[in-house]
Amino acid sequence: MDDDKFTKEVSCLMRVKHKNVVRFLGYCADAQGKMLDYEGQKVIADERQRLLCFEYLPEGSLDNYINDASCQLKWRTCYKIIKEICEGLSYLHQQNIVHLDLKPANILLDHHMVPKITDFGISKCFDEKQTRAITKNLCGSMGYMAPESFDGVITFKSDIYSLGIIIIEMLTGQKRYDEIDNVSILFQEKG
């Protein structure tokens, strides 16, 4: 990641403060000179390392609760988690941030099962009046990407599509559930 991208990501994370978004604590950047081979010759080059530090969330990811039948969440807990993910995502969108990789593995839970959106590695910070971007790079995780993402179109709707997939998985207790007609049956079984 070049300096401009790193600076932009850190400044983007610094302005995000919401109970349903993982708290950014700080960063560390270091550069050290190293002797490296380059086109058959030894050259001195700077090797940069950058680390981002976030709050620790002990209950792990939402993904664990969807995949593990023994950890299946009760309806009230599911509702609370879904509502709070929506609040966190709404806040990000109000800050002109498109997450682009919203999935259960990127939603961490604290001791009280409060969900916090994390992993802003590929997120996009839009300018104030910007509502879309076009990219040549495919962004996101398969199964959670909106169809328009495959054409390189990035909008806030991309995250809403991912949120819908997460809600279906939470209600059915199954990953990548194909038969939408049966979602209500599985949801009723959840009680």
Side-chain angles (χ1 to χ4, degrees), residues 19-95:
K19 69 180 182 110
N20 299 115
V21 177
V22 71
R23 191 167 28 122
F24 175 66
L25 300 174
Y27 68 93
C28 176
D30 183 40
Q32 293 195 1
K34 290 204 172 189
M35 185 71 69
L36 302 169
D37 284 322
Y38 179 75
E39 295 181 357
Q41 294 189 356
K42 295 281 187 189
V43 295
I44 297 175
D46 282 342
E47 182 178 71
R48 295 182 178 180
Q49 294 183 354
R50 296 181 176 122
L51 301 171
L52 301 175
C53 183
F54 297 93
E55 71 180 304
Y56 174 69
L57 296 162
E59 296 302 319
S61 75
L62 181 60
D63 199 45
N64 298 335
Y65 293 86
I66 293 172
N67 285 333
D68 187 352
S70 67
C71 293
Q72 193 168 12
L73 300 169
K74 299 288 183 205
W75 162 239
R76 288 193 188 279
T77 306
C78 278
Y79 174 78
K80 177 184 161 299
I81 290 171
I82 290 168
K83 181 178 179 281
E84 291 180 350
I85 293 169
C86 291
E87 290 171 4
L89 190 58
S90 174
Y91 172 80
L92 290 174
H93 288 180
Q94 289 169 17
Q95 300 300 311

Side-chain angles (χ1 to χ4, degrees), residues 5-22:
K5 281 186 179 180
F6 181 75
T7 301
K8 192 172 182 180
E9 183 174 348
V10 168
S11 66
C12 187
L13 289 170
M14 287 176 65
R15 72 176 196 233
V16 176
K17 290 180 179 30
H18 190 273
K19 69 180 182 110
N20 299 115
V21 177
V22 71

